[in-house]
């Protein structure tokens, strides 16, 4: 988006606003200097201040925050059925010089969504089916972290919009499921994996499992124990070990064939001493692996875990590609993968932030195309 017709060197204030599906107002603002031609190209212009600084093509969208301060921990609520409207207002000095409106959709046109429940499918999830998806593209099953429930909708919708059929699976904190991350049987996910395979018809499309944070443990364990069902692993802010349950770390988080998956109580230890068997044997993964981590992760040292995984893969995993997307300034949220989702953590002091308030947003804008490239080049 380019602003033109301005006085060369003029100070220009740009404000973005939108009303989300909860009827809450979100706003962001940035200040720029018009170039010698009286233009401001939002792709390349440097914000001098406001809701973000520096060069970010989608900075105004990333920095949107609710105008009601008590809602600082809330995400933008997308309208799933229609496009969301965003209004851009431009001021030069004290004068309002123009405005425009654009729309963003939660999914690309033609993407369909269906909800799965325990009674009919044997698991709880949401399935996003692209319109006319090429058969060679893999399907992706998504497993969230300690937030529980169905928390990866935005990512699942984004993958489907890029042409990858995506199934998000809840495994606790939903009716009929365990209410805590404790004693979760890996066999539960197998039901969902087999359901996803059935959706591919007879084209034998590959299935990748994507896990975020604690969900990375499940993704890796499924690939280890069910190599016939899992063709690749994507792990955001990963762990290389199986940790204990939440919140106490006194029982196993995962079980396999009725027995506890070995776990450790030692956080931030890729090589735990209390139970060395807690290290997930990632060398047994029969497929490509993609990892993303942030160097300022305050939830756990996900980059240390990621380096441990890569070291093991390099030692024993030579015939499959493995990628580590590491962002030194980013925090735990880089494991969310999908960029450009307005969220109210920006600018807040939380354990999810990176080095700067916009570090995660910058990292997500970079990791997303890398993930899509990985899917496109390793699925044949």
């Amino acid at each position: 988006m380019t602003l033109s017709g301005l006085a060369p060197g003029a100070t220009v204030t740009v404000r973005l606003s939108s009303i989300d599906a909860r009827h809450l107002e979100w706003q962001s603002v940035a200040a720029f200097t018009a170039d010698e031609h009286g233009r401001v190209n939002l792709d390349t212009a440097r914000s001098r201040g406001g809701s973000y600084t520096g060069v970010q093509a989608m900075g105004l969208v990333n920095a949107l925050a609710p105008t009601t301060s008590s809602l600082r921990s809330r995400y933008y609520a997308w309208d799933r059925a229609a496009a969301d409207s965003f209004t851009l207002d431009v001021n030069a000095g004290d004068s309002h010089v123009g405005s425009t409106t654009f729309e963003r959709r939660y999914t690309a046109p033609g993407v369909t969504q269906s909800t799965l429940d325990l009674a009919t499918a044997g698991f709880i999830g949401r399935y996003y089916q692209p319109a006319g998806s090429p058969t060679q593209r893999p399907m992706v099953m998504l497993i969230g972290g300690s937030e529980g429930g169905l928390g990866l909708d935005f990512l699942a919708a984004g993958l489907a919009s890029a042409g990858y059929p995506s199934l998000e699976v809840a495994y606790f904190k939903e009716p009929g499921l365990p209410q805590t991350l404790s004693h979760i049987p890996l066999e539960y996910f197998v039901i969902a994996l087999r359901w996803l395979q059935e959706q591919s018809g007879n084209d034998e499309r590959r299935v990748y499992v994507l896990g975020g944070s604690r969900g990375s443990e499940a993704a890796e364990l499924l690939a280890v124990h069910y190599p016939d069902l899992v063709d690749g692993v994507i792990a955001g802010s990963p762990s290389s070990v199986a940790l204990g349950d939440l919140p106490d770390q006194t029982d196993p988080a995962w079980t396999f064939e009725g027995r506890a998956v070995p776990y450790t109580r030692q956080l931030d230890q890729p090589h735990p001493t209390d139970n060395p068997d807690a290290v997930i044997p990632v060398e047994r993964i029969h497929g490509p692996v993609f990892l993303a981590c942030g160097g300022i992760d305050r939830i756990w040292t996900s980059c240390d875990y990621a380096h441990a995984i890569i070291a093991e893969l390099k030692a024993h995993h030579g015939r499959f590609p493995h990628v580590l997307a590491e962002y030194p300034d980013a925090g735990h949220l880089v494991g969310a993968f999908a960029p450009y989702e307005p969220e109210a953590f920006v600018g807040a002091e939380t354990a999810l932030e990176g080095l700067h308030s916009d570090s995660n947003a910058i990292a997500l804008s970079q990791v997303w195309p890398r993930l899509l490239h990985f899917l496109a080049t390793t699925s044949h």
Side-chain angles (χ1 to χ4, degrees):
M1 187 173 293
T2 300
L3 316 177
S4 59
L6 302 162
T11 297
V12 181
T13 302
V14 184
R15 185 178 304 276
L16 184 65
S17 59
S18 181
I19 305 296
D20 74 4
R22 291 189 306 266
H23 306 291
L24 300 176
E25 183 180 19
W26 291 61
Q27 284 191 358
S28 61
V29 63
F32 303 94
T33 300
D35 65 18
E36 65 273 19
H37 304 293
R39 296 177 180 173
V40 175
N41 184 336
L42 295 184
D43 282 353
T44 58
R46 180 174 298 277
S47 169
R48 296 163 43 195
S51 303
Y52 76 98
T53 58
V55 179
Q56 286 190 58
M58 292 284 280
L60 285 165
V61 172
N62 290 329
L64 280 168
T67 57
T68 304
S69 59
S70 63
L71 298 174
R72 292 294 294 173
S73 63
R74 300 285 291 273
Y75 283 88
Y76 184 96
W78 294 92
D79 186 332
R80 306 296 181 89
D84 289 271
S85 179
F86 296 78
T87 298
L88 201 73
D89 286 292
V90 181
N91 278 52
D94 295 328
S95 301
H96 182 261
V97 296
S99 64
T100 190
T101 298
F102 62 89
E103 293 182 339
R104 292 187 70 204
R105 293 183 177 273
Y106 193 73
T107 61
V111 173
T112 58
Q113 174 189 328
S114 53
T115 300
L116 292 309
D117 59 35
L118 286 170
T120 58
F123 64 93
I124 293 177
R126 289 197 186 100
Y127 179 56
Y128 290 86
Q129 173 66 46
S133 175
T135 57
Q136 70 269 23
R137 292 189 174 181
M139 311 177 87
V140 183
M141 188 175 87
L142 296 85
I143 304 172
S146 58
E147 72 278 2
L150 294 170
L152 296 180
D153 266 7
F154 191 74
L155 176 56
L159 286 168
S161 296
Y164 299 95
S166 298
L167 173 65
E168 179 192 6
V169 178
Y171 58 99
F172 76 103
K173 206 180 288 186
E174 289 282 350
L177 295 179
Q179 291 306 295
T180 60
L181 203 174
S182 182
H183 294 87
I184 307 297
L186 295 179
E187 290 81 2
Y188 170 80
F189 298 107
V190 172
I191 298 171
L193 280 169
R194 295 194 187 282
W195 183 93
L196 187 57
Q197 280 190 331
E198 291 173 0
Q199 310 314 302
S200 66
N202 298 318
D203 59 21
E204 298 183 352
R205 195 179 304 187
R206 292 190 174 193
V207 175
Y208 286 29
V209 178
L210 183 155
S213 192
R214 291 302 303 265
S216 68
E217 300 169 35
E220 295 161 31
L221 288 166
L222 286 168
V224 167
H225 291 293
Y226 300 98
D228 57 327
L229 296 177
V230 180
D231 299 297
V233 170
I234 302 163
S237 301
S239 172
S240 61
V241 300
L243 295 165
D245 66 343
L246 290 177
D248 300 325
Q249 298 277 337
T250 56
D251 284 309
W254 319 102
T255 66
F256 173 63
E257 295 182 342
R259 297 186 297 274
V261 171
Y263 67 97
T264 176
R265 296 183 179 91
Q266 296 175 346
L267 192 64
D268 299 329
Q269 292 291 338
H271 305 286
T273 57
D274 64 338
N275 190 356
D277 290 340
V279 176
I280 299 171
V282 293
E283 70 277 5
R284 290 165 53 188
I285 297 175
H286 292 283
V289 175
F290 184 96
L291 309 174
C293 70
I296 313 295
D297 190 336
R298 295 186 178 91
I299 299 296
W300 61 32
T301 54
S302 58
C303 283
D304 288 350
Y305 286 135
H307 283 291
I309 293 171
I310 291 296
E312 197 66 24
L313 294 179
K314 284 183 177 180
H316 303 285
H317 200 245
R319 69 189 185 94
F320 297 110
H322 41 267
V323 176
L324 171 56
E326 183 175 1
Y327 299 92
D329 292 347
H332 199 71
L333 278 182
V334 72
F337 288 114
Y340 315 139
E341 179 182 20
E343 46 89 7
F345 290 116
V346 172
E349 292 295 330
T350 76
L352 299 174
E353 284 294 343
L355 184 62
H356 308 291
S357 62
D358 55 0
S359 295
N360 289 331
I362 294 171
L364 287 168
S365 70
Q366 296 171 1
V367 75
W368 177 243
R370 293 184 67 177
L371 173 59
L372 295 182
H373 177 76
F374 171 82
L375 287 169
T377 56
T378 63
S379 56
H380 303 298

